[in-house]
Amino acid sequence: MLFPTLNFLIFFLIVLAVAWALVERDQWRKLFLTAASYVFYGFWDWRFTFLLLGNTLAIYAVGLWIGAARTERARKCAAWTGVAVMLVVLGFFKYFEFFVASLNELLRSAGLEREIPVFEVILPVGISFFTFQGISYVLDVYHRVIPPTRSFLDLALFKSFFPQLVAGPIVRAADFMPQLARKPDVTRLHVSLGLTLIVWGLFKKSIVANYLAIDLVDKVFMDPGRYGGLDLLLGVYGYAVQIYCDFSAYSDIAIGAAMLLGYTFPRNFDQPYRAASLSEFWRRWHISLSSWLRDYLYIPIGGNRKGPVRTYVNLTITMLLGGLWHGAAWKFVMWGALHGVGLAVERLASGARRISGSVWGPKPLAIVLVFHFVCLGWIFFRARDFASALDVIRGLFDWRTPPELATPLSLALIALGLVMHFTPRDLVNRVEALFWRMPAAAMGVACGFAVALVEAFGLDGAAPFIYFQF
Amino acid sequence: MAHNGPLNSEHHLSRLMTPELDPTVGAKEEPLRRLWPAAVAGTLVLLLLNGQGLEKWVGRLPESPIANTLIAAGQEWKGLMDRLGPGRAFDAARKAFQDFRGR
C-alpha cells in the first residue's frame, strides 16, 4: 500500500477515525494500531507478517533476557545473540543471492566448474529498516538507555507502526517507547503540522520526484550512451533532486501521519544540499540512518578514540557498510566507499589545516563542490550497474550531442528542488502556523484542495518510493 | 554511547521546528472533538473535486455484488460532479499542467 494512493487514504481515514475514537482507551487503541499496522504490511505480502511477528518476539525475549541476566557477561551474550539473529535474517533475505553469485564468479575465475545453486529470495519490504530498529532496541536495553519492556503490545506497536514500517525514519525505542507509556497527544498543533507535512510530502513525491523520474532520470540512466553530456548532467542533477524529494517526501508523510495519530518522530532530512562539507551532509541527509550508523557502528568499533588512522579506517568501514545496507550490489559498495573515503580525506585535511570552516573552500564554493561530490555518488547509486555508472561519467564529457530532454518542466523541477534547500529551514512551520490559526473545518478544506491539486497535476498511477527497494 | 535518551522524546516537536516560530508556545490543549471537522471537511472536498479518482478506485475492486453497486455509484458520482462543475475544474487543471509538460 503506497502513501500517495486512494487505497492508503481510505485505510488511513479509517485508522484515524477509530484511533481518535479510542483516545481514552489506550490499550485498545494500541491494539488497534498494531493490528492496522499488520494489515498495512500484509497488504504487500501477508506471509511476511510472520517474519515481522517473529522478529518482534525475538527482540522481546532478548530484552527480557538482558534484563534478567545477573552478570555483565550474560547481558553481553544475550545482546549479541539478539543482534546476530537479526543480522542472520537480514543477511539471508538481502544478501544471500549476492554472496552466492559473487562466490560462483570467484570459483569460475579459479577454474572450478561446479557452482553453488542460487535460488531467488523475495526481499521483504522494509526489512532493512525494521532490522536496524530491532538492533537499536536490543543495544539500548543492553547499554541501559531504556529498560526492557514487559509489554509485548508496546514492543509490537513500536516494531510495526505503519507510518515508518517500510521506509523509515528509523525510529529508536528510546524515542518512541516513552510515548507509548502515556496518553497520546493529539492537539491542534499535531493536526495542523501533520497535515502540512503530508501535503508537502505528496507534492514532493507526486509532482517533483515522479515527473523527474519519468521525463528525465529513467531515460538517461536506462541508456546513457544515447544522450549527450548536457542531458546526462541534467539527468544526474535530476536524480539528486528526485531522490531527495522522493525519500524526504516519504519521511514527511510518515512523520505527518504519525503526528495525526498523536506520536512524534524525529526529523529525517534538513536541507542536505546546502551542506558545506561531507560530514555536514551526513548530519542533514537520512539523519535517522546516519545517526544509527554513528551510534551503533562507528562508535562501538572505536570511532575517533583510537588515533587518526583508526578514525579514517572506521569512517570508511562505516560508510562501506552503510552502502551495503542499501543493497547487495557493487555499485552500493562503491557509493559507500566514495563517501567513506571522502569523509576520511575531509577529516584528514581539516586536521592538517587546523581550520574550523569547511576544507572545501569558502562557503558558497564549498556548497557547490560538496553537492557535485554527492552527485558523483548518486551516479553509482542510481545506475543499473557499475559499468553503466562509468558510461554515465564518461558521457558527461561528451558535449557533441545536442540536448533532447531539457524541457521547461524538468528544468523548473530541478530548480525548485534545489531552491527549496535555500529557503528558511522552518518554511514548513511558517506554512503550518497559518494553518494552525484557521478554524478546524477551514483547515480541512485547505488541505483537501491542496491534495486535490496535487492529484490533478500528478501522473496517473503511483510510482513506488525509491527506498522501498531497500 | 551517544543516544537520544528518553528525556529527549519530550522535545520531538521542537526538533521539527525552530523555537521562535514554535506554535506550541502558548498553545492550549484542544478537545479532539473540535478537530473532527478538519477530517470531515477535507474528505468532502476530495470527494467533490476528485470524483475521477474515486471512480477509478472502485473500478479496480474485485468483482462482487457490493463492488458492482459501488462501481455504479462511483460512475454516477463522477457524472454528477462533471455536470456540477468540480469535475470539469479538476480536468482543466490536469490538462493545463500536461500542456505545460508537453512543451
Side-chain angles (χ1 to χ4, degrees):
Chain A
M1 203 185 306
L2 298 169
F3 279 167
T5 59
L6 204 51
N7 271 348
F8 179 76
L9 180 66
I10 291 168
F11 166 82
F12 187 64
L13 283 173
I14 295 169
V15 171
L16 194 65
V18 178
W20 280 12
L22 292 174
V23 79
E24 298 297 333
R25 297 184 178 90
D26 207 29
Q27 289 302 310
W28 284 105
R29 188 174 186 282
K30 286 192 258 188
L31 188 63
F32 170 74
L33 285 177
T34 309
S37 298
Y38 272 80
V39 169
F40 175 83
Y41 195 61
F43 215 83
W44 170 71
D45 188 332
W46 63 269
R47 292 170 299 176
F48 289 116
T49 54
F50 294 103
L51 177 71
L52 183 62
L53 182 64
N55 209 297
T56 310
L57 278 166
I59 65 164
Y60 179 69
V62 167
L64 293 179
W65 181 10
I66 296 171
R70 292 194 180 162
T71 64
E72 207 46 40
R73 202 173 157 190
R75 288 170 56 80
K76 199 173 202 169
C77 173
W80 285 111
T81 305
V83 171
V85 166
M86 277 178 283
L87 288 179
V88 165
V89 173
L90 177 68
F92 171 74
F93 282 105
K94 196 154 180 172
Y95 304 107
F96 178 78
E97 278 183 69
F98 173 68
F99 280 117
V100 172
S102 300
L103 197 62
N104 280 337
E105 216 161 285
L106 199 69
L107 292 175
R108 267 197 303 278
S109 63
L112 293 172
E113 289 302 312
R114 289 197 63 172
E115 289 201 347
I116 302 166
V118 184
F119 54 89
E120 198 185 341
V121 179
I122 302 170
L123 182 68
V125 70
I127 188 167
S128 308
F129 288 92
F130 66 70
T131 300
F132 271 30
Q133 198 190 25
I135 291 174
S136 81
Y137 171 75
V138 168
L139 291 180
D140 281 354
V141 170
Y142 171 64
H143 288 290
R144 298 189 171 87
V145 176
I146 49 165
T149 181
R150 302 217 160 262
S151 164
F152 182 73
L153 180 59
D154 281 10
L155 194 68
L157 180 54
F158 160 65
K159 280 284 285 180
S160 66
F161 191 40
F162 68 89
Q164 49 85 54
L165 176 59
V166 291
I170 303 167
V171 180
R172 298 190 192 184
D175 283 341
F176 193 71
M177 300 292 278
Q179 296 185 56
L180 297 177
R182 57 174 185 259
K183 198 183 120 187
D185 257 346
V186 187
T187 63
R188 172 176 282 266
L189 166 69
H190 286 83
V191 174
S192 58
L193 191 51
L195 289 176
T196 311
L197 285 167
I198 289 172
V199 171
W200 180 230
L202 286 174
F203 170 76
K204 283 193 287 185
K205 169 63 180 163
S206 301
I207 310 290
V208 185
N210 283 358
Y211 278 111
L212 278 175
I214 299 286
D215 290 353
L216 179 64
V217 177
D218 291 354
K219 290 178 182 170
V220 161
F221 281 92
M222 177 62 79
D223 186 6
R226 211 193 119 181
Y227 299 100
L230 188 59
D231 276 336
L232 290 175
L233 189 63
L234 281 177
V236 173
Y237 288 159
Y239 186 63
V241 171
Q242 183 205 342
I243 192 168
Y244 166 72
C245 284
D246 190 285
F247 193 18
S248 69
Y250 189 93
S251 295
D252 285 348
I253 298 171
I255 294 168
M259 204 167 271
L260 290 179
L261 293 165
Y263 300 106
T264 50
F265 293 165
R267 190 176 189 146
N268 209 20
F269 288 89
D270 185 11
Q271 299 180 311
Y273 296 145
R274 73 186 298 169
S277 66
L278 273 182
S279 52
E280 187 187 350
F281 173 78
W282 281 104
R283 286 195 299 274
R284 291 172 175 272
W285 177 271
H286 200 176
I287 299 164
S288 63
L289 175 67
S290 51
S291 60
W292 193 101
L293 290 171
R294 180 195 66 209
D295 293 347
Y296 300 105
L297 181 60
Y298 175 69
I299 292 173
I301 61 174
N304 60 2
R305 303 187 305 273
K306 297 188 175 173
V309 177
R310 269 299 295 274
T311 304
Y312 309 139
V313 173
N314 290 343
L315 275 172
T316 310
I317 291 172
T318 303
M319 295 313 293
L320 266 175
L321 291 175
L324 207 55
W325 175 85
H326 284 86
W330 290 111
K331 60 180 195 148
F332 291 123
V333 175
M334 181 64 194
W335 175 78
L338 255 179
H339 277 277
V341 172
L343 283 167
V345 170
E346 190 179 272
R347 200 176 175 103
L348 177 70
S350 67
R353 289 174 58 186
R354 295 176 190 283
I355 52 171
S356 55
S358 173
V359 297
W360 298 75
K363 196 167 181 187
L365 177 68
I367 290 172
V368 173
L369 291 177
V370 168
F371 173 69
H372 283 85
F373 184 88
V374 170
C375 283
L376 176 66
W378 289 142
I379 295 175
F380 288 95
F381 197 90
R382 172 61 181 81
R384 269 175 299 144
D385 49 38
F386 201 85
S388 173
L390 295 180
D391 287 343
V392 174
I393 294 170
R394 263 194 298 271
L396 282 171
F397 298 99
D398 173 13
W399 285 58
R400 286 167 301 174
T401 315
E404 289 176 43
L405 302 173
T407 62
L409 179 63
S410 299
L411 294 173
L413 294 178
I414 292 173
L416 178 67
L418 294 177
V419 164
M420 63 176 74
H421 284 78
F422 298 93
T423 55
R425 65 187 290 269
D426 55 2
L427 190 64
V428 170
N429 300 118
R430 292 185 196 204
V431 175
E432 180 276 328
L434 296 177
F435 245 166
W436 182 65
R437 291 189 181 90
M438 291 178 178
M443 203 194 284
V445 169
C447 179
F449 265 111
V451 174
L453 212 56
V454 169
E455 180 67 19
F457 289 168
L459 287 163
D460 272 335
F465 285 89
I466 292 173
Y467 264 69
F468 270 31
Q469 60 186 297
F470 307 134
Chain B
M1 175 181 285
H3 59 81
N4 298 313
L7 282 176
N8 280 347
S9 62
E10 302 294 335
H11 303 292
H12 271 184
L13 282 182
S14 55
R15 283 161 67 174
L16 279 165
M17 56 193 73
T18 54
E20 62 273 21
L21 278 164
D22 183 349
T24 49
V25 176
K28 286 179 190 163
E29 281 274 335
E30 195 161 2
L32 200 49
R33 65 175 186 280
R34 288 208 199 141
L35 297 169
W36 272 104
V40 175
T43 309
L44 279 176
V45 169
L46 277 175
L47 280 174
L48 286 172
L49 290 173
N50 197 10
Q52 196 181 68
L54 187 70
E55 186 198 24
K56 277 186 195 161
W57 185 77
V58 291
R60 285 195 296 267
L61 290 174
E63 195 146 328
S64 72
I66 298 171
N68 291 338
T69 314
L70 286 174
I71 289 167
Q75 285 167 345
E76 216 165 291
W77 179 258
K78 184 187 178 283
L80 182 68
M81 289 305 106
D82 284 347
R83 283 195 299 282
L84 292 177
R88 289 202 305 276
F90 185 88
D91 288 341
R94 176 173 280 258
K95 188 174 175 305
F97 192 81
Q98 292 306 326
D99 285 348
F100 175 60
R101 184 189 178 203
R103 271 193 217 164

